[in-house]
Amino acid sequence: MESLHPRILIVWVFQSIVMAAILGAIAAAIVFFLVEAGMWIPIAIFLTFAILLIVHAILRFRIWRYEIREDELYLERGVLTRIKTVVPYVRIQHVDSRRGPLERLLTLATTVVYTAGSRGADVTIPGLTPVRSESLQDDLKQLAIESEGEDAV
Amino acid sequence: MPYSLHPISVPYRIVQSSLGIVPMLAVVAFVLSQAVGFVGPIFMVLLLGGVGAIVGWQVAYFRRFEYELTTDTFDIRSGVISRRNREIPYRRIQNVDISRSMVQRALGVSELRIETAGGTSSEAHLRYVGYDEAKRLQDALRERERREEEGARDGERERPTGRTIYEITQPELGVLAIASFDLRVASFLIVILTFLGAEAIALLFAIPLDPVITIAAIALVVTIASAILSGGSAIINNYGFILSQVGDELRYERGLLQRYDGSIPLDKVQTLVLQENVLKRLLGYASLTVETAGYGPGQGAESARAVPLSTRERTLDIANQIDPAATDLPFNRPARRARIRYTVQYTILVAVLTGIAFGVQWQFALDYAWWAMPAAVILAPVAAHYKWKHRGYAITDEAVLTRSGFWRRRTHVVPYYRIQTVDESQTVLQRRWRIATVIVDTAGSSGLVGANPIVHDLDDEDATKLREHLSGELQASLIVRKRRRRGVRDRFVQGVRGTW
């Protein structure tokens, strides 16, 4: 079982702070324009959400695991709802390697695996080094070709 | 040799689009007339211009649309200004559907759609070809796909004769009308009623009767009206339903006003779904739908129907003919403690409803027996039991069967080799009860509306075992299929199969 690269925590913590800041800003706007109340409320909201979301991000990082098995890709993730997913290589339609601006800054990448499944729940593995992401993309592609299903549908 | 659409499609499409623009033109003419002061002439000018443009466009559309059956693809070249050449490999075709409205039936034309997996809308849409031509295409596409799969051995083979599997009878149509009763229609009617406005409602309550009787009367009328509407639409949609097997393909025909002819290749069937709502179960009937990967979101909920309604036994028998894995098995129920959890959930629901009932009487100063609400708690264990009873799964050598829903029970038959991914999911609360849910994803279309094959609330160890079993069986079934394609006996599978 492999875990994600620790640098992904920086991305998630950053996202948590941005999210908490947005909520805090909304609360500040409400306090400022609509309700006469102390400015400590938005600050408290910001801090509470920042702490909760950062704890969530840390737990998320500690729980995230994936494994390249013989016939399938196996993933475990989720803090509140724990999800264990099995993606057989025969079912892989295509594989993407993706890098957002923040990820590029931190030299990280995300691999996305697509199947023909109807739930639209395409499998995303974040927090990989670009080298790992590309080798994963190659491996999965190779494994998908070797497993030669009829037409994966 | 390239073919064109049916010539009648030109005037038909012209009339169709012209009718579409009339209301819009009327609005534009009215707005312009505010400035100028006369409506009639403006409207006539706009209408002539609009219809002229439509005539030109439709003639060009007709002249620049052609389709062709080549050796291995179905080609469509279309587009007036931006051209599109599309080639659909025969082997990738999932469904071929023909539909004819009343007018189209009178004109002898029909609309033909070809579905492949992937994409959100129909991959080919022929508007309109002659009905005979549409039937010919339906056969030709199937024949070519078969030939390609068997490696182009024998030349043009005789069209295999169809064998009728199921034909709806008058009594079944009647039962279907009753069993299709849908409370959602009732809620829709109530919404309309509220749109009629406060006056209408006030008028109703002005009748010198006890308001309770008035409410009961409204409820009765709404219920009867929705029964007539849902029953009527079920009859119109399924009148003259025939399911037959032609070669290795299922064909159905249905409809009173608008006729539908669809084809479902047997080797493209993803899952079978046995649908038995409460009414059907009480009357001993069931319906069957066949899912392929052909339809996009919101498409084909109705068109994938294989048996609109028949006795449970007969429906199961037909399902069994389509996929031998569809049999009536004893189902494994969710963990017993899940039933206790459901009781707890329903008890909480009653508490919330009691709170709302109290809030309403407190806010509006209405005097009614809100305090009787908590008595509903005695129903909680009953509801929990039925919810638990109608959930579960069964496994066979070839497939996994999943079931859920008391009011609208669905039983999915998923052959192992159709599994796409398997999820085992556990919420925080489920973790406390040590239960987990297993979701089986296929390329079928039902997952798009949130009705995936799903096994609720198993003991978490059983859930893990089931997940491992499913992924193991998928691999085993793929090996079997590969060997079978290579013409090797598939005896050895017994050894490959994981232990369950």
Side-chain angles (χ1 to χ4, degrees), chain B residues 237-272:
Chain B
N237 278 324
N238 294 297
Y239 181 85
F241 191 103
I242 300 175
L243 179 76
S244 54
Q245 187 175 347
V246 182
D248 47 5
E249 191 171 64
L250 292 175
R251 292 277 174 87
Y252 64 82
E253 268 184 59
R254 64 180 177 85
L256 179 63
L257 307 175
Q258 186 160 16
R259 275 306 269 180
Y260 297 91
D261 297 56
S263 74
I264 311 163
L266 280 171
D267 62 348
K268 296 282 196 271
V269 173
Q270 292 277 339
T271 53
L272 298 184

Side-chain angles (χ1 to χ4, degrees), chain B residues 347-496:
Chain B
T347 308
I348 293 170
L349 181 70
V350 170
V352 170
L353 288 177
T354 307
I356 292 171
F358 172 73
V360 166
Q361 87 100 37
W362 181 70
Q363 188 69 34
F364 299 102
L366 288 173
D367 191 23
Y368 68 101
W370 66 271
W371 37 264
M373 200 63 173
V377 92
I378 53 165
L379 290 177
V382 181
H385 174 72
Y386 280 103
K387 185 174 183 168
W388 176 81
K389 191 182 163 197
H390 291 283
R391 286 180 160 183
Y393 73 97
I395 51 173
T396 74
D397 285 349
E398 302 289 332
V400 57
L401 283 75
T402 72
R403 169 178 286 176
S404 77
F406 167 76
W407 297 105
R408 298 149 67 79
R409 189 169 87 178
R410 288 161 167 270
T411 308
H412 289 258
V413 182
V414 187
Y416 294 127
Y417 64 90
R418 292 300 189 197
I419 294 173
Q420 288 281 334
T421 61
V422 185
D423 277 353
E424 182 189 339
S425 122
Q426 215 177 11
T427 63
V428 179
L429 291 168
Q430 278 182 313
R431 271 209 292 282
R432 286 184 54 148
W433 291 84
R434 289 187 297 102
I435 53 179
T437 292
V438 177
I439 307 157
V440 186
D441 196 13
T442 68
S445 39
S446 74
L448 304 161
V449 290
N452 264 101
I454 182 163
V455 188
H456 290 278
D457 299 332
L458 295 181
D459 179 278
D460 55 6
E461 279 174 25
D462 288 344
T464 303
K465 255 199 245 171
L466 179 62
R467 165 170 60 77
E468 283 163 0
H469 172 78
L470 293 178
S471 65
E473 287 290 327
L474 166 64
Q475 298 298 340
S477 66
L478 290 169
I479 295 170
V480 178
R481 286 171 74 81
K482 206 184 278 181
R483 297 268 158 158
R484 204 176 282 160
R485 286 208 305 277
R486 290 176 186 158
V488 177
R489 304 299 312 155
D490 50 43
R491 288 278 153 178
F492 79 105
V493 196
Q494 307 303 13
V496 179

